Amino acid sequence: MLAHPMNNKESIDFTSLRPVAGKRNFVSKSVEETITRIKEDISDPELAWLFENCFPNTLDTTVTYSEPDGRPDTFVITGDIHAMWLRDSSAQVWPYLPLTKQDEPLRRLVAGVINRQVKCILLDPYANAFLEGNEISEWKSDITDMKPGIHERKWEIDSLCYPIRLAYNYWKTTGNTSVFDSKWNEAMELIYATLKVQQRKENQGPYSFKRITAWQTDTVPGNGMGNPMRPVGLICSTFRPSDDATTFLFLIPSNYFAVVSLRQLSELCENVTGNKTLGTRSRKLADEVEQALKQYSITDHLDYGKVFVYEADGYGNRLMMDDSNVPSLLALPYLGCIDVNDPVYQNTRKFLFSDDHCWYFKGKAASGIGSPHTLKDMIWPMTIIMQAITSTNVEEIRECLRLLKSTHAGTGFMHESFHKDDPANFTRKWFAWANTLFGELVIKVHKEHPELL
């Protein structure tokens, strides 16, 4: 991954940091045209430079496309970790979806991601990350049912939601149904069965996870099963999208995401695959989870009124925070779970960007939300991007753009996190999801508030 040699902003010459054309993993004509078109309308040279570097980063550096037996297959690494997350791979190609309608090679690339995700889910629906072949993972000593081809086996609800989101919107965008074959249907049956089992109504289910580690959130309490919960209709998520263990098993943003995803699956079953039985069951499960969310996802805050909680256990215990990875409480409108003007969401938003939120940090360089994953005082560009994407306030969006522009530490790319007082102190120099998400934000701003560019 290329990094800019200068940290002094005045020394940056804004020369593209993309790999040279012949060394890019995948080239899309429509993506290149989009970069040229948007850049022409950006008067700020640094912002234009960041967009040119970041938006194509997934295609430039992380995808491996092939067509075994004439069928698209796309393996997508996250960046500096050579493995494919179901969540990240979906999110990384998401901003390119609108372009697939007129770009056949790009459409096939995204179809390849969907096909590869099906293979991953059929290998193990509880795994969050996978290897390209049948390699043995560096995490082979984890005390769980590890298999060749699995990179990490952390059960996260969103890992099964993202592939539905991608496939559904691929269908809506392109009208193409080639990916919806018997294997896709088999994977969707497995997704439904897994989510149903993880309601844990009758027993704790087959999944457990333990890791020998000094990092508390990298293993699971309760002998690998998680802390106690009361079956109330919500779905248990042993880990968060950050790959950190949950404190309480009912991860609220992921349950909201599951409701949306199950309804999308139901629509696909009824209109594309003809699997009406799975469609009916998926819709029924979505309704049940939604009903439980009405009772367990909202609480009364002394200062902010009714707000969403981050985690719950069905016994009345609640965790009041948000994390940086998506799904998050902040990102609920982005995922189509909540209307951005919903009063509970707006109350929650006020809480999240306040000193009353333990993972909100203010420093010399920036203010923003961090994560237990990167510890205290580390702000995530992803949350600044998501703050702007979900904002209805032009000045707030302007400030988010300013922060993103001033905290990349001269590298020309987004990072996982940076220190609130020193952006040069950052984690993950090659994090493709954050880069592509930044590109998505710039395109959105270009469409809705071009004056900010």
Side-chain angles (χ1 to χ4, degrees):
M1 180 63 182
L2 295 171
H4 204 284
M6 299 293 184
N7 281 338
N8 183 348
K9 184 174 178 178
E10 296 179 358
S11 302
I12 300 176
D13 60 8
F14 305 132
T15 299
S16 172
L17 297 181
R18 299 177 63 188
V20 295
K23 293 189 176 181
R24 295 170 188 169
N25 288 25
F26 188 91
V27 177
S28 159
K29 181 181 178 182
S30 61
V31 169
E32 298 303 322
E33 289 173 349
T34 299
I35 293 169
T36 300
R37 177 174 57 84
I38 300 292
K39 272 191 68 182
E40 288 177 350
D41 293 337
I42 302 177
S43 59
D44 185 317
E46 187 170 10
L47 203 58
W49 177 65
L50 285 169
F51 176 71
E52 180 182 12
N53 293 335
C54 291
F55 180 58
N57 188 243
T58 288
L59 298 182
D60 284 353
T61 66
T62 71
V63 299
T64 302
Y65 178 76
S66 62
E67 293 190 9
D69 302 319
R71 187 167 177 77
D73 180 51
T74 310
F75 188 77
V76 188
I77 64 173
T78 70
D80 50 20
I81 304 174
H82 198 89
M84 176 168 167
W85 266 254
L86 292 173
R87 170 184 54 255
D88 291 45
S89 60
S90 300
Q92 283 168 246
V93 299
W94 175 262
Y96 308 133
L97 261 183
L99 304 175
T100 56
K101 196 169 186 178
Q102 70 269 15
D103 187 333
E104 177 64 14
L106 186 62
R107 183 196 69 74
R108 292 183 68 81
L109 177 110
V110 175
V113 177
I114 296 169
N115 292 336
R116 169 63 72 145
Q117 289 176 340
V118 165
K119 293 180 184 178
C120 294
I121 293 164
L122 291 176
L123 177 61
D124 188 347
Y126 285 104
N128 57 323
F130 298 83
L131 301 167
E132 190 165 4
N134 290 321
E135 303 97 326
I136 303 300
S137 171
E138 63 182 288
W139 302 113
K140 62 183 179 181
S141 62
D142 285 349
I143 305 169
T144 189
D145 186 17
M146 290 294 289
K147 302 171 186 173
I150 294 174
H151 173 69
E152 196 170 46
R153 192 173 188 261
K154 291 181 172 179
W155 161 237
E156 303 161 3
I157 293 172
D158 69 281
S159 292
L160 299 185
C161 294
Y162 270 105
I164 297 173
R165 180 183 190 238
L166 182 63
Y168 175 83
N169 285 280
Y170 169 85
W171 168 57
K172 284 292 189 179
T173 301
T174 67
N176 184 275
T177 59
S178 62
V179 298
F180 302 108
D181 59 4
S182 60
K183 287 294 184 182
W184 186 85
N185 188 69
E186 185 181 349
M188 295 306 110
E189 290 276 7
L190 193 53
I191 286 177
Y192 169 81
T194 304
L195 296 176
K196 191 71 177 168
V197 165
Q198 285 304 316
Q199 286 181 300
R200 301 194 187 181
K201 290 182 177 180
E202 298 175 1
N203 53 56
Q204 290 188 301
Y207 176 81
S208 66
F209 181 98
K210 289 185 285 186
R211 176 176 289 174
I212 299 172
T213 176
W215 199 264
Q216 183 182 9
T217 53
D218 228 13
T219 189
V220 178
N223 197 30
M225 302 301 297
N227 285 318
M229 44 68 70
R230 172 181 284 159
V232 294
L234 294 173
I235 303 165
C236 294
S237 191
T238 310
F239 286 88
R240 300 167 181 165
S242 61
D243 300 333
D244 289 348
T246 50
T247 300
F248 303 124
L249 284 165
F250 297 142
L251 182 57
I252 296 304
S254 293
N255 270 268
Y256 271 104
F257 193 15
V259 171
V260 171
S261 300
L262 285 164
R263 286 179 176 152
Q264 291 175 343
L265 175 57
S266 178
E267 187 178 341
L268 282 165
C269 288
E270 292 168 357
N271 293 283
V272 180
T273 68
N275 189 345
K276 297 189 184 298
T277 300
L278 178 59
T280 299
R281 288 184 294 159
S282 298
R283 188 169 58 252
K284 183 178 178 182
L285 179 56
D287 292 345
E288 182 183 5
V289 174
E290 182 180 55
Q291 193 60 37
L293 282 167
K294 290 178 181 178
Q295 185 172 355
Y296 293 97
S297 72
I298 299 172
T299 192
D300 287 304
H301 193 285
L302 289 174
D303 297 317
Y304 299 93
K306 291 189 181 299
V307 297
F308 292 112
V309 304
Y310 187 65
E311 292 172 3
D313 64 357
Y315 287 106
N317 295 304
R318 305 175 183 91
L319 187 59
M320 301 300 298
M321 60 165 279
D322 202 12
D323 207 340
S324 296
N325 278 265
V326 178
S328 60
L329 295 177
L330 178 62
L332 288 176
Y334 172 74
L335 294 173
C337 304
I338 296 292
D339 187 278
V340 71
N341 295 309
D342 180 276
V344 178
Y345 173 75
Q346 286 299 324
N347 289 346
T348 305
R349 192 181 177 93
K350 290 173 186 174
F351 161 68
L352 296 179
F353 294 109
S354 77
D355 293 333
D356 295 315
H357 179 201
C358 60
W359 294 104
Y360 177 71
F361 307 119
K362 290 182 179 178
K364 297 175 183 176
S367 299
I369 298 171
S371 167
H373 192 69
T374 47
L375 305 181
K376 193 172 181 289
D377 294 334
M378 301 295 286
I379 295 169
W380 283 50
M382 185 176 290
T383 55
I384 299 175
I385 296 168
M386 194 53 60
Q387 179 182 358
I389 285 177
T390 57
S391 177
T392 57
N393 184 298
V394 174
E395 290 308 312
E396 183 179 22
I397 298 169
R398 188 194 305 275
E399 174 63 9
C400 289
L401 289 171
R402 186 192 71 79
L403 290 176
L404 292 165
K405 195 177 70 169
S406 64
T407 56
H408 62 87
T411 66
F413 294 96
M414 299 296 110
H415 305 125
E416 178 187 51
S417 69
F418 62 88
H419 193 276
K420 65 177 186 177
D421 296 323
D422 180 15
N425 177 7
F426 61 79
T427 60
R428 297 196 67 179
K429 67 178 181 179
W430 182 15
F431 185 27
W433 180 9
N435 288 327
T436 317
L437 188 67
F438 172 78
E440 183 180 353
L441 168 63
V442 172
I443 290 173
K444 185 176 189 287
V445 173
H446 178 264
K447 180 181 179 180
E448 298 175 1
H449 302 288
E451 72 279 5
L452 297 182
L453 302 177

